Amino acid sequence: MIRLHAKGERALTAAAVAGLTLWVVPARADVACARDVLVANSMQRQAIDQLEQAEGDDANRCRVWRRHVETMRRVASVYGRCLSGAERGEKLNEVQSSEKDFSGLVRTRCRGL
């Protein structure tokens, strides 16, 4: 049996804790991302519903469009952080395209509103 002195034991313990942390942190991140993606999907659906229901004057439509742009930016941030592969590319493209389209509308039709 090899006997470690106090400094070696601390180093071994620190390495074990670091290894455990590396195992636990991704698990927490996966849980957080799963929750964040679920919330982002819901936010995206709600934003689309609000667009479809936007009626009234230009000021009201501009308010809905601005909210939509901000929501798409937040959703894109979650998708970029939490998704991977083809799903990441598809979802990011969808929300970034929508954000770009509605940013253009806000820029051209909502000046002063």
Side-chain angles (χ1 to χ4, degrees):
M1 176 185 264
I2 298 176
R3 187 108 173 120
L4 297 174
H5 58 44
K7 186 176 181 181
E9 289 174 359
R10 277 186 292 216
L12 184 59
T13 302
V17 169
L20 181 60
T21 301
L22 291 175
W23 179 77
V24 172
V25 170
R28 285 187 191 161
D30 289 346
V31 170
C33 270
R35 181 199 63 227
D36 292 350
V37 168
L38 189 65
V39 170
N41 285 334
S42 177
M43 289 171 57
Q44 185 179 0
R45 280 191 307 274
Q46 288 176 345
I48 291 168
D49 289 346
Q50 290 171 356
L51 284 176
E52 291 171 351
Q53 296 170 8
E55 295 179 356
D57 59 6
D58 286 344
N60 185 52
R61 280 194 296 272
C62 288
R63 189 171 31 260
V64 172
W65 293 346
R66 285 185 184 102
R67 192 175 323 131
H68 182 79
V69 167
E70 181 57 34
T71 300
M72 293 302 104
R73 288 178 181 157
R74 290 173 58 198
V75 169
S77 173
V78 172
Y79 290 166
R81 177 173 45 88
C82 294
L83 298 178
S84 61
E87 181 183 28
R88 180 180 188 270
E90 291 168 10
K91 292 222 177 222
L92 271 176
N93 183 50
E94 182 180 342
V95 295
Q96 288 172 336
S97 294
S98 184
E99 184 269 332
K100 182 180 175 184
D101 292 344
F102 282 91
S103 287
L105 283 173
V106 168
R107 216 175 11 263
T108 59
R109 296 182 57 191
C110 297
R111 288 190 177 153
L113 296 177

